[in-house]
Amino acid sequence: MTKLSVNINKIATIRNARGGNTPDVVKAAVDIEGFGADGITVHPRPDERHIRYADVLSLKQVLTTEFNIEGNPVPKFMDLVLGVKPTQVTLVPDAPDALTSSAGWDTKKNFDELSDIVSTLKDAGIRTSIFVDPDPEMVAYAAKTGTDRVELYTEPYASAFTSDPEAAVAPFVKAATEAKRLGLQVNAGHDLSLVNLEFFLRKIPFVKEVSIGHQLICDALYLGLQETVARYKMIAQAAKP
């Protein structure tokens, strides 16, 4: 089945808006695991405007499911993940001032850099994933780096879903199929929701993991966190390879 990893950045954003430790990010992560999530995702940025580097260290001490750390592999980030050794590192090419991730890597242009980073992470025993657009060429160059997985950037799918689901998912099916052919496992993330997730996984049932944060936390405002995690998990469990 497809695993559900919950991105808790937005919980940290709420905490940071007022200072203090409410809501408690670490407790929320442990509760989310207890509600059935298969993993926790964080994306620490250099300005620490949501998840802080100290949060990552605290989370490592208590999490019992898969821990996925996303980010641009600048030296500070690499020092963090090599020290923490999470289950997975997802390499994302966002600029320091990016509001949110908005594009995948040009794996052809950045091939040498990515190859070196992937090698370093794998030598440390960390599973690696490269964030890419649904472009078979970018997937092919990602495979050549030695990465274990690619994560397909799904915001374009989510944006186009309501007008034409089949057209929206088509490039993702093509890219995921190419990844599978090349021996890569496939993750997906960004703006997947209770509305569009089931269709996506029905079309690409071999997705290993979906990382969902913003939409899940928005749903939790109405449904409650436990019920929301359960609903996303139910959709993910229904996907059969």
Side-chain angles (χ1 to χ4, degrees), residues 131-237:
F131 195 66
V132 295
D133 296 322
D135 179 337
E137 183 180 29
M138 296 300 103
V139 170
Y141 274 91
K144 292 177 183 179
T145 69
T147 190
D148 302 291
R149 298 184 179 186
V150 289
E151 178 176 325
L152 299 178
Y153 168 52
T154 49
E155 189 277 334
Y157 162 74
S159 295
F161 175 79
T162 53
S163 59
D164 191 339
E166 291 288 351
V169 82
F172 293 87
V173 172
K174 186 175 181 180
T177 301
E178 177 67 0
K180 186 178 181 182
R181 186 186 73 80
L182 293 169
L184 292 177
Q185 295 180 329
V186 178
N187 294 342
H190 209 95
D191 286 351
L192 294 173
S193 71
L194 292 173
V195 174
N196 59 45
L197 179 60
E198 188 276 335
F199 184 81
F200 187 87
L201 294 180
R202 180 152 45 90
K203 293 296 184 178
I204 316 173
F206 52 87
V207 170
K208 297 295 288 185
E209 172 191 288
V210 288
S211 175
I212 304 175
H214 180 82
Q215 293 295 331
L216 188 149
I217 299 304
C218 288
D219 290 328
L221 293 174
Y222 294 91
L223 301 173
L225 188 55
Q226 183 170 1
E227 175 65 17
T228 301
V229 172
R231 292 193 188 191
Y232 277 94
K233 181 69 179 290
M234 183 172 63
I235 295 171
Q237 283 182 319

Side-chain angles (χ1 to χ4, degrees), residues 29-229:
V30 172
D31 288 342
I32 288 166
E33 287 185 318
F35 298 153
D38 303 295
I40 298 295
T41 292
V42 295
H43 189 147
R45 287 184 164 85
D47 62 5
E48 298 188 287
R49 65 180 180 272
H50 33 62
I51 286 292
R52 299 167 181 156
Y53 276 49
D55 294 329
V56 176
L57 300 177
S58 297
L59 288 163
K60 174 63 176 178
Q61 301 304 311
V62 298
L63 296 182
T64 58
T65 59
E66 292 196 352
F67 191 17
N68 173 45
I69 304 179
E70 302 178 342
N72 192 318
V74 297
K76 183 180 179 182
F77 178 86
M78 291 298 292
D79 288 343
L80 176 70
V81 297
L82 290 172
V84 170
K85 289 186 169 59
T87 314
Q88 176 176 270
V89 168
T90 301
L91 304 174
V92 182
D94 53 350
D97 59 349
L99 182 62
T100 186
S101 304
S102 58
W105 285 94
D106 183 333
T107 52
K108 183 176 181 179
K109 179 180 178 181
N110 296 283
F111 176 76
D112 290 340
E113 175 191 0
L114 289 170
S115 296
D116 288 344
I117 292 165
V118 167
S119 178
T120 297
L121 292 170
K122 293 185 73 173
D123 285 347
I126 302 168
R127 188 174 73 220
T128 61
S129 180
I130 297 178
F131 195 66
V132 295
D133 296 322
D135 179 337
E137 183 180 29
M138 296 300 103
V139 170
Y141 274 91
K144 292 177 183 179
T145 69
T147 190
D148 302 291
R149 298 184 179 186
V150 289
E151 178 176 325
L152 299 178
Y153 168 52
T154 49
E155 189 277 334
Y157 162 74
S159 295
F161 175 79
T162 53
S163 59
D164 191 339
E166 291 288 351
V169 82
F172 293 87
V173 172
K174 186 175 181 180
T177 301
E178 177 67 0
K180 186 178 181 182
R181 186 186 73 80
L182 293 169
L184 292 177
Q185 295 180 329
V186 178
N187 294 342
H190 209 95
D191 286 351
L192 294 173
S193 71
L194 292 173
V195 174
N196 59 45
L197 179 60
E198 188 276 335
F199 184 81
F200 187 87
L201 294 180
R202 180 152 45 90
K203 293 296 184 178
I204 316 173
F206 52 87
V207 170
K208 297 295 288 185
E209 172 191 288
V210 288
S211 175
I212 304 175
H214 180 82
Q215 293 295 331
L216 188 149
I217 299 304
C218 288
D219 290 328
L221 293 174
Y222 294 91
L223 301 173
L225 188 55
Q226 183 170 1
E227 175 65 17
T228 301
V229 172

